[in-house]
Structures are given as structure tokens and as C-alpha cells.
Amino acid sequence: MTKLMEWLLGLSLIGVLWSIVTFDLLDLRISDQYLQVAWPLPIYLLVAFGCYSLAVVGYRVATFNDCETAAKELQEQIQEAKRDLQKKGLHF
Amino acid sequence: MIYCRTDFLHGVGIDIMASQMKTPKDSDKYSVLLPTYNERENLPLIVWLLVKYFSESGNKYEIIIIDDGSPDGTQDIAEHMQKIYGPDIILLRPREKKLGLGTAYIHGMQHASGNFIIIMDADLSHHPKFIPQFIRKQKESGYDIVSGTRYSGSGGVYGWDLRRKLISRGANFITQVLLRPGTSDLTGSFRLYKKEVLQKLIEKCVSKGYVFQMEMIVRAKQLGYSVGEVPISFVDRVYGESKLGGNEIVSFLKGLMTLFATT
């Protein structure tokens, strides 16, 4: 199953369950307090996911390692390499 | 740890700690594929670094340079490097013009004598010092693939501004949510593959560019291959000249959607 199919399946399942509860399709007679939470639940979850995404990406950008020492080391090694290769006959 | 006492030195009682010398398995050889285009400046440096780190680690290796008809004379430099280090270490597999990365790998692999293939960029953004770490990681758990990651552990980048980091992390996040690949860096191209695994994956992959690198890992997971990770530092000296524009972002999203719908 492709990822797209997995998502469609999952969303359909959630959609069906949500419809059953919100529109009372199976005559489940769920009490009002549960119905009040159930019907806006998809929107809540979407917003919650949006906030989570922003938080995670924000955190990862803030903690993205800056490889200063790696860059310096590379510069030094480039000089070393050039000197060694010139000895071996390469002209820069 | 192997601890052996040789009989003929019995009287002297000399114990030889054979395992002190970490001799790599004799049959393992690592072929480094270096597709190049206009890398006249960087090619000698990357080759020098590869030779340095491979010689220090004692592993058997070869470097295969696949130049796509660079107009700046990269091929001449490649030939000079072959004169310096010998045709056993430096193999030349040039092509006439710029063709795809996948075909470059296929072309390079045809004459590779290693049982492991290492792919990397030739512009010094990938540092050969990580290759011994890749090799160790692979031996640890017999991974089919070892991928360098910029996003996890001590991995990181040098030379990116805030905008670039944001786009990178954002794109990676969307990719993780949609594709759930099980690895942290999907667009990275610094990897170690078992030769037969790379061959199999190239057969199956249809995308181009960095989406191709993404597709390889996604398909690898589908086919049940194991992927290990090693944090790497990515030193970007090219970003200043080639900003990541709207076009690239759009083509990335298109590629991502295609993978989402077909894998």
C-alpha cells in the first residue's frame, strides 16, 4: 500500500467514526457532553498538529548545529593538501 | 579479543595480542564514486583527503571519477591524480556530457571492484573523515546502507543562513510526516551501500536529483534493507553562489508528492 493509500484509509476511518458520533448514525445515544467535544475534534486536532509542527521545526532550526570547527579544519587541510600535491607535481 | 600464545616462543612466554592490530576483513573493498562536473579546483583536494583517511584506516579502496565532460578541464586534473596515485587507486570513467546521477552511478559501478560503494559530493561539502565511521557503523550491525545525517546527533551544517536552515528543517519535517522513512536525513547524498543493494535500488528508482536520493532510502525501507546513520558535518561553500530559489522548492514538493503517491 502506498503512503497515499495509508493516509486515505486512515482519514476515511476517522471520518466514518466522527460522522457516526456527530450525526448519530447508529443511534448510539451519546450524552451531550461527549457530543460537544466530539464534533469539533477534527479541527482541534488539526490546529494542535499545526502548533506541534511549528514548535518542532522551530526547535530544530534553533538547535541546528553550526559546524565552525569542521569548516576551520577543512580550510587547514586544504592548505596542507595543496602543499603536499605541489610537491607531487600538481600546479594550482 | 583474540589472545594467542605461539608454541615456538613457549620458553620465552611471549603473548601476542593479535587483535591489537585491527586488520579489516581481507575481502572488503570500498569503491568511492565521485561524479564530477566543473570540479577542477576541488577534485585534487577531495582525492587527497580520501587517500589520507583510507590509508590511515587500512581499508582497501579505489576512487572512481565520473566526469561528465567538464569544460573546465576537470578530466585533465583527474588524469594527473591517476599519475600521482596510480591506476589501482584512481579509476577514470568519463562521459561525454552531463547525464543523470543514477546513470553516473551505474556507469561508475560497472568497473568497480569493491563490494561496498560510497557515494558522496566532490565539492568538499562531504568530508572523507567520516568514511571510517561509516565503515565501522556498517560492520557493527551489518547494515545494508549507512547514511550520513546532518539533522541528528552531532550532525550539522556550516554556511547556511536562517532562511536556508528553516527551509531545510521544514522540508525534512514534511518528508518525515508524509513518508515516515525511518531515517533523519533523506536528501543527503553521503552514503555507504553494499554494492548489490545499490544496484538493486538504482534499478527500481525513477526520480532525478535529490528526489532520487530520497527515493532510494524509501525503496530501501520497502525492500526490507537496514539503514544505519552516522552524524556528519556538511560544509557548504557553494550556497552563497546558488541560493535555494522558489523553483527548487516547487520541484522538491512535486518530487515529494510523487513519492508519497507511488511508494
Side-chain angles (χ1 to χ4, degrees):
Chain A
M1 202 191 288
T2 63
K3 294 287 182 300
L4 178 60
M5 296 303 292
E6 283 177 22
W7 273 71
L8 289 176
L9 191 66
L11 288 172
S12 312
L13 216 66
I14 293 174
V16 164
L17 288 172
W18 176 82
S19 305
I20 291 176
V21 171
T22 310
F23 303 121
D24 203 15
L25 298 173
L26 290 178
D27 212 15
L28 289 169
R29 260 173 287 172
I30 298 175
S31 64
D32 271 343
Q33 51 183 153
Y34 288 126
L35 279 177
Q36 279 198 347
V37 174
W39 78 260
L41 203 57
I43 302 292
Y44 285 172
L45 291 177
L46 212 61
V47 172
F49 177 70
C51 293
Y52 166 78
S53 307
L54 287 175
V56 166
V57 174
Y59 173 76
R60 286 177 180 173
V61 170
T63 57
F64 210 157
N65 290 326
D66 271 313
C67 307
E68 305 271 342
T69 40
K72 264 197 218 99
E73 180 192 45
L74 181 63
Q75 284 311 316
E76 286 165 7
Q77 286 182 325
I78 288 176
Q79 298 311 316
E80 195 189 332
K82 283 185 174 168
R83 281 194 298 270
D84 190 40
L85 287 169
Q86 269 173 342
K87 279 200 221 119
K88 294 191 161 89
L90 196 69
H91 303 293
F92 280 95
Chain B
M1 295 274 269
I2 302 162
Y3 190 84
C4 72
R5 190 186 292 263
T6 50
D7 281 321
F8 64 87
L9 291 172
H10 175 75
V12 183
I14 293 173
D15 301 327
I16 302 168
M17 303 284 264
S19 62
Q20 287 281 347
M21 308 174 289
K22 284 207 175 79
T23 47
K25 200 171 85 168
D26 273 341
S27 51
D28 283 337
K29 185 171 180 182
Y30 300 86
S31 302
V32 181
L33 297 185
L34 275 185
T36 60
Y37 190 74
N38 284 347
E39 293 291 0
R40 187 200 172 85
E41 305 274 318
N42 293 325
L43 185 59
L45 304 170
I46 188 83
V47 168
W48 188 87
L49 285 169
L50 282 166
V51 170
K52 173 183 157 82
Y53 284 97
F54 265 114
S55 311
E56 281 171 15
S57 72
N59 290 297
K60 292 215 285 260
Y61 71 106
E62 62 187 2
I63 302 170
I64 302 174
I65 302 172
I66 306 134
D67 184 52
D68 281 355
S70 298
D72 72 344
T74 304
Q75 184 57 12
D76 296 326
I77 297 284
E79 283 166 14
H80 200 144
M81 299 310 286
Q82 190 178 52
K83 278 204 205 79
I84 295 177
Y85 291 111
D88 290 331
I89 299 290
I90 311 278
L91 276 68
L92 302 176
R93 295 283 170 262
R95 303 195 297 178
E96 292 198 346
K97 56 181 184 142
K98 211 169 193 299
L99 301 165
L101 202 59
T103 49
Y105 293 155
I106 295 172
H107 185 77
M109 271 199 291
Q110 273 167 355
H111 303 273
S113 57
N115 54 332
F116 287 97
I117 308 282
I118 294 168
I119 62 164
M120 60 189 298
D121 291 348
D123 61 1
L124 295 174
S125 52
H126 293 148
H127 198 301
K129 71 177 176 185
F130 294 106
I131 293 179
Q133 295 180 29
F134 283 19
I135 294 175
R136 259 199 305 276
K137 185 84 189 174
Q138 192 283 324
K139 289 193 195 297
E140 236 172 60
S141 317
Y143 287 115
D144 296 307
I145 303 172
V146 176
S147 180
T149 173
R150 298 158 291 174
Y151 298 131
S152 147
S154 56
V157 181
Y158 177 81
W160 281 5
D161 58 12
L162 187 64
R163 175 182 175 268
R164 182 71 180 89
K165 285 185 188 174
L166 195 60
I167 294 174
S168 182
R169 285 293 198 176
N172 182 256
F173 181 79
I174 298 173
T175 309
Q176 295 288 331
V177 168
L178 290 179
L179 299 181
R180 301 188 322 269
T183 44
S184 60
D185 192 343
L186 222 56
T187 50
S189 52
F190 192 6
R191 297 183 185 149
L192 167 69
Y193 291 85
K194 284 186 186 167
K195 187 171 175 187
E196 63 276 13
V197 172
L198 184 58
Q199 282 168 329
K200 182 76 185 276
L201 288 173
I202 291 185
E203 259 174 55
K204 293 203 146 250
C205 291
V206 295
S207 334
K208 309 250 174 278
Y210 45 75
V211 184
F212 170 65
Q213 304 290 358
M214 288 165 64
E215 192 185 355
M216 293 235 268
I217 293 286
V218 173
R219 298 239 178 250
K221 189 172 181 239
Q222 271 185 334
L223 293 168
Y225 291 127
S226 54
V227 182
E229 287 197 307
V230 168
I232 58 161
S233 46
F234 181 92
V235 178
D236 196 341
R237 308 188 301 157
V238 170
Y239 173 55
E241 296 133 43
S242 61
K243 304 261 170 219
L244 196 69
N247 271 338
E248 275 139 326
I249 296 180
V250 168
S251 69
F252 166 79
L253 289 172
K254 272 206 256 172
L256 181 59
M257 286 305 133
T258 311
L259 284 181
F260 180 63
T262 58
T263 59

